[in-house]
Amino acid sequence: MRIVDMLAVDRLPRWFWPVLLGLSFLLHAPFFRLPPTSIHVWRQSNTMAVARNFYDEGMNILKPRVDRRNATDGVTGMQFPSYEWLVAGSYHLFGFHESLPRIINWLIYMAGIVAFYQLVRLVSGSAWVGGVGAWCLTWSPELYYHGINALPDVLALTASIAGLFWFMRWRETKQVGLLILSVLAVALGGLTKLQFLIVGFPIGVFVVRDLLQRRLAWPQLAQLAVYAVVAVGVPLAWYAYALHLIKTSGLTDFGLEFRPASDLATGLAIIKRNLLSDWPEVLLGYGALVLLVLGLWRLVRHAPVRHPWFLPGLAWGLALLAYYLIELRQMQYHTYYMLPLLPVLMLLAAWGAAWLRRQPSTRPWLLALLLVQPVWAFTRIGVNRWLKGGPDVAPELYTPATRAALEAATPPGALCLVGPDDSGCIDFYFLHKKGFGFEHPGQLTEPSPTGRPYVADCVAQGAHYLYTNDSVTIHDPRLQPFLGREVKRVGNFGVWELRAAPTQP
């Protein structure tokens, strides 16, 4: 049977999962050994720094630590470090290898694909539509990219999808074990990234409907009350604790606040860019975009208002729209903040694919739209970001030999002054150092709140060495009294001892 004819059969061929999982692995395999690199390397570096600090300094999940810690112990607030802690555990098992975070995230990513297949099959009643949904989600270029990056959002996405699926299975069977799995997964998704609690909106609609139809007995109502408290209360309690840690430590590496657009014109410009560039190229890919448009067209023309999922899906979509607008400023440069939108968008794309499948004359077009997806994902991401793209990291830090030489130039426990690095984490991570950072060349000699130069404050608090690749910084005459001997020179990077400036008579 030809592949195009298989599109008419409402089941998945036996080769579907081996091909999908195997192709994903093959198209990622050349990049598993890469250190943090390319777009959002700062986020990858910060995530891997927290994981390494769990490994180096203790596995207490309530005390995540960053590298740019000044003279503190580095403990600060962030999203619940579930992914970072998992990576640190793998380091204890296998030793420190930068491929481990990528492999772990790929496994989580693939688990999310399987969970999404199950969810779409449940919603549509069709294994074939579920397979198309899984295929489209796999080849989202953004998910293909971050599926092997050190990014906690992938874990949150997988957990939220699985939690929703297990809840729906509980509605069918009323097995308490499924409800426990669901609440644990939904809570984990919300803990890891709070926006993924949006998956609770369709759950809420189903619960209200079941209440109105008197389908729930008192024991089940009690179970659902506990479910709501745990799924929502535990993540909110963690973020309250995280904000307390940030306030106590003064370390603000992780921002935990809403970020809407600053004004209407900026907001409209972000939306325009997202719709015309980010969605077609990165979030969806052109193949899935066409299927999404077809699905939206069907939704407008023939809204399935009697389908059990219509109102829950509508609530899910409206909640995602509200989230998108509330966090609109993040959408300008951080496409991964749109990952919570993918399940709904790809569900609509699968629905559009089901419409193309109806007529034999359109099935070749459907096949082409499906086949182009992995090609585009690899071309847009694998080629342009991992093969051709620059690492967005100084070459002395990216190259293993020079990176090791710079790390070995100073004792492991010494506090260092590192920069200029406006991320506050990239140079620290690659150097495997802790201490004080500076963002721009003139900052070291600018007056701090104490009235002294910033470098003087750092030295007074225990900074012993300076790492920098900026010649403007080193040749600043105002910095010279604080510089001791040059310890190491590797390419453009130099390492200097720091000393307290002599007091003026």
Side-chain angles (χ1 to χ4, degrees):
M1 181 183 292
R2 296 183 306 164
I3 293 178
V4 71
D5 294 328
M6 290 182 182
L7 298 178
V9 180
D10 196 15
R11 66 175 184 271
L12 292 180
R14 292 181 179 179
W15 50 258
F16 176 79
W17 286 110
V19 167
L20 180 59
L21 300 179
L23 186 59
S24 175
F25 181 82
L26 288 175
L27 294 183
H28 283 103
F31 314 114
F32 279 133
R33 297 183 66 182
L34 292 178
T37 186
S38 194
I39 304 298
H40 303 309
V41 64
W42 62 271
R43 189 62 179 88
Q44 300 171 53
S45 298
N46 234 355
T47 301
M48 292 180 69
V50 172
R52 186 170 60 190
N53 289 336
F54 277 130
Y55 174 60
D56 288 341
E57 301 178 75
M59 290 290 287
N60 187 343
I61 200 169
L62 301 180
K63 293 184 177 182
R65 291 176 168 86
V66 293
D67 289 340
R68 184 180 59 179
R69 58 180 60 178
N70 302 329
T72 73
D73 61 1
V75 175
T76 189
M78 59 182 297
Q79 86 283 340
F80 187 67
S82 47
Y83 171 74
E84 293 85 348
W85 192 83
L86 181 62
V87 170
S90 74
Y91 292 159
H92 280 290
L93 288 174
F94 305 108
F96 179 82
H97 302 285
E98 287 181 320
S99 59
L100 285 174
R102 295 189 180 276
I103 293 171
I104 289 170
N105 225 30
W106 182 80
L107 292 172
I108 294 169
Y109 163 35
M110 290 299 101
I113 298 303
V114 174
F116 189 62
Y117 161 76
Q118 297 287 0
L119 179 64
V120 177
R121 187 179 70 166
L122 186 150
V123 173
S124 65
S126 167
W128 185 90
V129 176
V132 170
W135 181 271
C136 291
L137 186 62
T138 300
W139 303 118
S140 157
E142 187 72 3
L143 193 54
Y144 168 77
Y145 177 56
H146 287 302
I148 64 165
N149 284 340
L151 191 79
D153 302 61
V154 178
L155 173 58
L157 177 64
T158 292
S160 64
I161 293 171
L164 178 55
F165 169 70
W166 281 323
F167 178 83
M168 298 308 299
R169 291 286 294 123
W170 172 81
R171 284 187 74 244
E172 294 176 349
T173 66
K174 296 300 187 292
Q175 295 179 13
V176 177
L178 290 170
L179 193 64
I180 293 173
L181 285 174
S182 176
V183 70
L184 292 177
V186 171
L188 177 62
L191 280 163
T192 305
K193 276 302 184 74
L194 190 61
Q195 56 264 36
F196 286 89
L197 279 183
I198 291 173
V199 78
F201 280 83
I203 291 174
V205 173
F206 276 113
V207 170
V208 171
R209 178 187 291 166
D210 290 345
L211 277 172
L212 295 176
Q213 296 176 354
R214 299 186 177 181
R215 293 183 56 192
L216 298 170
W218 283 109
Q220 293 158 2
L221 288 173
Q223 292 167 12
L224 288 172
V226 174
Y227 184 106
V229 170
V230 173
V232 178
V234 172
L236 291 180
W238 169 263
Y239 282 94
Y241 170 69
L243 289 172
H244 169 72
L245 288 181
I246 291 173
K247 183 177 180 181
T248 302
S249 68
L251 304 175
T252 57
D253 291 65
F254 298 95
L256 303 177
E257 71 273 346
F258 296 124
R259 294 176 181 174
S262 55
D263 54 73
L264 180 60
T266 300
L268 292 175
I270 294 172
I271 293 171
K272 180 180 178 181
R273 170 180 167 160
N274 287 165
L275 293 178
L276 298 182
S277 177
D278 296 328
W279 282 34
E281 289 189 26
V282 180
L283 185 65
L284 298 169
Y286 289 102
L289 176 66
V290 174
L291 296 177
L292 171 64
V293 171
L294 289 172
L296 288 171
W297 178 76
R298 286 191 68 198
L299 183 65
V300 173
R301 292 287 301 274
H302 306 287
V305 292
R306 296 185 181 276
H307 194 284
W309 268 86
F310 180 75
L311 286 179
L314 182 62
W316 195 2
L318 291 175
L320 288 169
L321 176 61
Y323 157 72
Y324 174 80
L325 295 175
I326 290 171
E327 290 281 17
L328 191 54
R329 185 152 52 98
Q330 291 292 77
M331 311 300 173
Q332 186 170 10
Y333 302 114
H334 306 87
T335 311
Y336 63 84
Y337 267 77
M338 289 185 266
L339 290 181
L341 281 62
L342 277 179
V344 170
L345 296 177
M346 293 309 188
L347 184 58
L348 287 170
W351 196 30
W355 182 81
L356 274 184
R357 173 177 173 250
R358 288 183 177 181
Q359 300 298 326
S361 61
T362 57
R363 287 173 193 160
W365 291 103
L366 172 57
L367 180 60
L369 291 172
L370 294 175
L371 292 179
V372 78
Q373 292 180 34
V375 175
W376 176 251
F378 183 78
T379 302
R380 182 63 178 82
I381 303 300
V383 173
N384 288 302
R385 291 190 182 177
W386 286 323
L387 292 178
K388 287 186 179 178
D392 289 337
V393 178
E396 296 89 347
L397 301 182
Y398 195 74
T399 304
T402 52
R403 176 183 176 184
L406 285 168
E407 179 182 346
T410 60
L415 289 179
C416 299
L417 181 55
V418 177
D421 177 9
D422 58 3
S423 75
C425 59
I426 296 174
D427 288 0
F428 274 113
Y429 173 75
F430 279 87
L431 291 167
H432 197 180
K433 298 301 173 185
K434 311 289 190 293
F436 306 81
F438 64 102
E439 298 181 359
H440 55 270
Q443 185 177 346
L444 290 183
T445 52
E446 290 175 357
S448 68
T450 65
R452 299 182 299 179
Y454 174 63
V455 63
D457 283 351
C458 295
V459 172
Q461 294 179 69
H464 294 295
Y465 299 95
L466 168 67
Y467 279 86
T468 187
N469 61 347
D470 184 74
S471 59
V472 174
T473 295
I474 290 304
H475 291 103
D476 186 339
R478 296 170 295 176
L479 183 63
Q480 301 310 307
F482 299 94
L483 293 182
R485 68 182 182 91
E486 185 176 24
V487 177
K488 189 79 173 180
R489 167 67 60 174
V490 178
N492 292 326
F493 256 93
V495 185
W496 283 265
E497 288 182 341
L498 289 172
R499 62 191 180 194
T503 56
Q504 297 296 326

